[in-house]
Amino acid sequence: MNKFEIRETKGKGKGAFAVCDIKAGEKITEFTGDVVDRKTIHERILNGEERIDDPLQIGDDEFMDIDNEAYFFNHSCEPNAGIRGIADLVAIKDIKTGDEITFDYSTTVGTNINNWQMQCLCGTPNCRKIIANVSSIPSVQIEKYRKANGLQDYILKQLDR
Ligand SMILES: [Zn+2]
């Protein structure tokens, strides 16, 4: 059963909302799509086939051109979900029916990507305003994500290097 549905948010375009209660640690969905290297994804962005904020990094030099509804999850600086393993979206806290499901985009941008940033409109008290790669996340926040098992394998490797 699908645990979320896509609908309009207030002011952030489309977003994904829980259609059932989801417990912390539970898998919500997984990202799928073509996996290509950095050079190829860069070419797709230059050709206008892909927007710069859209690919999901899944390895030092591996990017997923997302082709499923997981594309619609918005960023938050205080998210209730994270990405685990390669590309599984999991709850990092209990989520109630009707809550918007978000993850921290910075957790999926490796330390080797230095040319990406995005203005954040999440409006949470700890909003970072401008978000960039994983090393731009305050260490207390990273530790929260780590404890909740909400960091991808390649990010954990990069952080422990
Ligand atoms: Zn924010």
Side-chain angles (χ1 to χ4, degrees):
M1 192 196 90
N2 215 359
K3 295 177 184 169
F4 64 93
E5 65 180 12
I6 307 303
R7 52 184 156 91
E8 286 300 318
T9 63
K10 291 193 186 86
K12 297 184 299 186
K14 287 190 165 58
F17 293 83
V19 294
C20 55
D21 291 352
I22 303 169
K23 286 228 174 316
E26 207 177 300
K27 179 171 165 180
I28 301 166
T29 188
E30 61 194 33
F31 291 84
T32 60
D34 216 11
V35 176
V36 297
D37 63 13
R38 186 174 178 174
K39 187 169 162 278
T40 308
I41 206 78
H42 191 64
E43 280 165 9
R44 289 184 186 180
I45 291 166
L46 291 179
N47 292 338
E49 298 159 33
E50 179 82 351
R51 295 187 328 165
I52 189 156
D53 297 335
D54 291 343
L56 177 72
Q57 190 176 359
I58 59 167
D60 289 348
D61 190 35
E62 286 176 294
F63 294 79
M64 190 181 275
D65 193 347
I66 304 166
D67 66 4
N68 67 346
E69 280 193 318
Y71 174 88
F72 292 106
F73 289 92
N74 284 314
H75 162 88
S76 172
C77 299
E78 289 282 346
N80 52 17
I83 302 179
R84 178 182 301 166
I86 299 171
D88 283 354
L89 188 77
V90 295
I92 59 170
K93 38 179 102 158
D94 291 341
I95 301 173
K96 292 256 169 281
T97 306
D99 287 353
E100 185 179 1
I101 304 170
T102 55
F103 67 97
D104 185 334
Y105 284 7
S106 294
T107 60
T108 72
V109 180
T111 52
N112 56 332
I113 306 294
N114 295 308
N115 59 352
W116 177 81
Q117 61 174 37
M118 192 183 95
Q119 197 184 354
C120 184
L121 304 170
C122 78
T124 59
N126 292 325
C127 180
R128 304 193 297 274
K129 311 286 197 257
I130 300 283
I131 59 169
N133 77 20
V134 68
S135 56
S136 73
I137 302 174
S139 51
V140 269
Q141 189 73 4
I142 279 286
E143 285 316 306
K144 267 197 225 170
Y145 295 153
R146 198 194 284 267
K147 280 208 183 91
N149 265 319
L151 293 173
Q152 286 166 291
D153 293 344
Y154 87 94
I155 289 285
L156 288 169
K157 273 191 209 140
Q158 288 192 349
L159 292 174
D160 293 338
R161 237 169 237 166

